[in-house]
Amino acid sequence: MAAKEDVEQGENSLQEQIREPLMQQEKNLADEEDGPGPNDQSQKSSKGHQWMVYLSTFVAVCGSFEFGSCAGYSSPTQSAIREDLDLSVAEYSMFGSILTFGAMIGAITSGTIADFIGRKWAMRISTGFCVAGWLAIYFAKGALSLYIGRLATGYGMGVFSYVVPVFVAEIAPKNLRGALTTLNQVMIVSGVSVAFIIGTVLTWRTLALTGLVPCAILLFGLFLIPESPRWLAKKGRNEQFKASLKRLRGKDADISQEAAEIQDYIKTLEELPKAKLLDLFQRRYLSSVTIGVGLMVFQQFGGINGICFYVSDIFEQAGFSSSVGTISYAILQVIVTALSATVVDKAGRKPLLLVAASGLVLGCVLTGISFYLKAYELWLTAVPILAVTGILLYIASFSAGMGAVPWVIMSEIFPINIKGSSWKPSNTGELVWCMDGFLHFQLSHELELLWYFYSLRSNKCNGYSVCDQGGT
């Protein structure tokens, strides 16, 4: 009994070190690994030697940009793909949503892969799936090739979603870690935004080829950067661990104290009891599980998938220029995401969630009113204005709070052994990814069908003979 209390006290003391969150659950875990220590010797290396940290971060976040490119591909290409390949609404909705099914599988398996073969090889494997997926989409002649390609890119982005923030957090010194890890989220929305923007001027096959660019940079860059020193230390490769850390901190840096802290902390983690998935359902974790899974459910049921995947069609249906609206959407998303990263610690979690949720509700109301007015031909001049205002308010609110803050909260509300005592996704992460991925897949598919039937009804109300074409 006393031993059990000592373990719980150890968990509580370790959890006190993780009150300052980063942008993702995995980033926060790496921040914990440093353990206590008033001096960080890595900060003493000259600024001239930080270039390897910056280069390694740049190479890694190309995976985040690839993530965004995959997610943003379906919106600007919807009309062109359906027309060229003669796809039905159900077929294209499956193409758009199957990405998240692959991402769910990739995220769940990513920790085991990254722990077994290393961070760099995990990124190589992820890149390989993305390359194969983009080529399958480019050469597609029917729905099956599109599905295979989309599923492969989804798996790749699922692996990237874990290994990139973990790798960046593991290589960065304490004084740079917060700034560098926020680049993961910024590069994801940048990838989405770039896909939206250039998708308005490129064909869908050419846009698929642009997804190969970050893959090429990543594959080449991985030959130039060192492996994660923390992973090498965990594997017991002490000489490679010190060489990697020395290369990152600079040849003149004293890495002895930082190396000792990393090794001590890894030893502490390995001594904690290994948690199982069923442990999450103990009474003492009930509140944490309810909050964590609940936030993911509300995040997905907020409708972000329908907005993101089909934003260009929404603008077009509202009578607004789809290219102008999509570009505005893309730019606003990047700006708000970057700004929110700077205020998430100062403003607090709950205030950001409350403000974001209020903005989501108002954005949905405005958009819904605009299409209600259009359907009944009331105040038609206000329809485009209300729709654009609603969509832009929606994505600004989501980017400010509901997108990233739930993952920050996830990293803070569980004891460290429940989050994961090894270097792989925790039990909580696997549970939440299953919930998040399933909802993402299901809602993406259903929202496209709902949007299609709304379009039929709207056209019917405006005098088009859709019923003669099989509409209802």
Side-chain angles (χ1 to χ4, degrees), residues 291-303:
I291 293 171
V293 175
L295 284 173
M296 294 300 105
V297 171
F298 287 123
Q299 184 190 66
Q300 293 304 317
F301 272 101

Side-chain angles (χ1 to χ4, degrees), residues 449-461:
L449 296 177
L450 288 174
W451 180 250
Y452 171 69
F453 287 121
Y454 165 78
S455 299
L456 288 180
R457 179 175 177 82
S458 179
N459 288 336
K460 182 177 180 181
C461 290

Side-chain angles (χ1 to χ4, degrees), residues 53-211:
V53 174
Y54 296 134
L55 175 62
S56 300
T57 301
F58 169 76
V59 171
V61 296
C62 285
S64 303
F65 190 89
E66 177 67 14
F67 182 113
S69 299
C70 296
Y73 178 78
S74 62
S75 179
T77 60
Q78 178 180 2
S79 299
I81 291 179
R82 288 190 58 196
E83 181 179 347
D84 289 354
L85 301 183
D86 194 26
L87 299 183
S88 66
V89 173
E91 288 174 327
Y92 189 83
S93 66
M94 177 62 71
F95 169 72
S97 57
I98 200 172
L99 176 82
T100 56
F101 186 76
M104 179 179 66
I105 299 173
I108 292 173
T109 60
S110 61
T112 302
I113 295 173
D115 186 49
F116 185 69
I117 63 176
R119 313 314 192 215
K120 288 174 62 176
W121 270 106
M123 286 189 278
R124 287 189 177 103
I125 290 176
S126 180
T127 303
F129 273 92
C130 288
V131 169
W134 286 125
L135 292 178
I137 293 173
Y138 177 78
F139 291 108
K141 300 297 183 182
L144 181 60
S145 295
L146 288 177
Y147 294 162
I148 293 173
R150 191 72 163 163
L151 188 65
T153 55
Y155 182 85
M157 64 182 273
V159 176
F160 279 137
S161 71
Y162 170 75
V163 73
V164 170
V166 167
F167 178 78
V168 173
E170 288 176 348
I171 65 171
K174 288 182 180 179
N175 62 318
L176 295 176
R177 187 173 300 146
L180 293 181
T181 49
T182 57
L183 288 177
N184 176 62
Q185 188 71 14
V186 173
M187 289 297 284
I188 289 175
V189 297
S190 297
V192 173
S193 299
V194 170
F196 281 179
I197 293 171
I198 65 177
T200 62
V201 296
L202 298 179
T203 65
W204 66 271
R205 294 187 190 273
T206 305
L207 184 61
L209 291 181
T210 63

Side-chain angles (χ1 to χ4, degrees), residues 344-362:
V344 65
D345 289 329
K346 297 178 181 178
R349 308 333 175 216
K350 285 181 64 176
L352 272 180
L353 283 177
L354 290 172
V355 171
S358 300
L360 293 177
V361 171
L362 183 56

